[in-house]
Amino acid sequence: DTAVSQTPKYLVTQMGNDKSIKCEQNLGHDTMYWYKQDSKKFLKIMFSYNNKELIINETVPNRFSPKSPDKAHLNLHINSLELGDSAVYFCASSPGLGMGNEQFFGPGTRLTVL
Amino acid sequence: AQSVSQHNHHVILSEAASLELGCNYSYGGTVNLFWYVQYPGQHLQLLLKYFSGDPLVKGIKGFEAEFIKSKFSFNLRKPSVQWSDTAEYFCAVMPGAGGGNKLTFGTGTQLKVEL
């Protein structure tokens, strides 16, 4: 069973569209994250949620809106997509907000904006 | 705010060669340190982590890393690499208290192991 899963795996869309990426974890973790990996493989945190509460928001444009309906899910909705949004988006989860907590990553969603 | 620098962006080695990838971080307080690996087309997997105790940490697949607090370093080592170690390697730092588990990654080192 996949611990952290994301759908879709690939997403190709036109500029200006609105799209969502879904993430689910079956590890019973309290904390979930979204990361963006750019074309140079640089990984940067976007958001984190703990028990459905927003903990980290790294000055991401407000076109990006995370939603956590429950502890096991953290979805990412993107409005008015721009070319610069093309990247691989990784979801991750960890047991909670504690020292040394390993983050488990999903397989990634490759978003291409045309 | 914390930051991480990885000095080697591309490393090419022959099988059985020894590996050392550099990682330095910048943060004034207690830190947790991680090395993640990303095999081609796959997600990130944890190789090893340090959060307290013995500064020499052993991870999976024969990797190890040494935390040297005075040098703010956490270099990754492997005595003898294999072709299957070809991947992207990321060093990451997390503040030890507070910070919401914010993991900051270095820019990555692409390792290619040739037969």
Side-chain angles (χ1 to χ4, degrees), chain A residues 37 58 96 99-100 103 106, chain B residues 32 36 38 43 49 96 101-102:
Chain A
Q37 186 176 45
E58 280 290 297
M99 284 181 61
Q103 293 181 21
Chain B
N32 304 318
Y36 279 86
Q38 187 176 24
H43 62 283
K49 68 179 182 182
N101 275 26
K102 180 181 172 183

Side-chain angles (χ1 to χ4, degrees), chain B residues 42-89:
Chain B
Q42 294 190 29
H43 62 283
L44 282 88
Q45 300 171 45
L46 183 71
L47 273 179
L48 47 81
K49 68 179 182 182
Y50 169 83
F51 56 95
S52 66
D54 189 344
L56 184 61
V57 179
K58 294 195 184 298
I60 60 171
K61 305 187 181 188
F63 286 91
E64 65 178 32
E66 185 175 11
F67 171 47
I68 303 180
K69 191 174 180 181
S70 60
K71 295 185 178 179
F72 297 89
S73 69
F74 191 55
N75 293 354
L76 181 71
R77 299 194 292 248
K78 186 171 183 178
S80 176
V81 294
Q82 299 172 301
W83 178 79
S84 57
D85 292 325
T86 294
E88 190 94 20
Y89 292 81

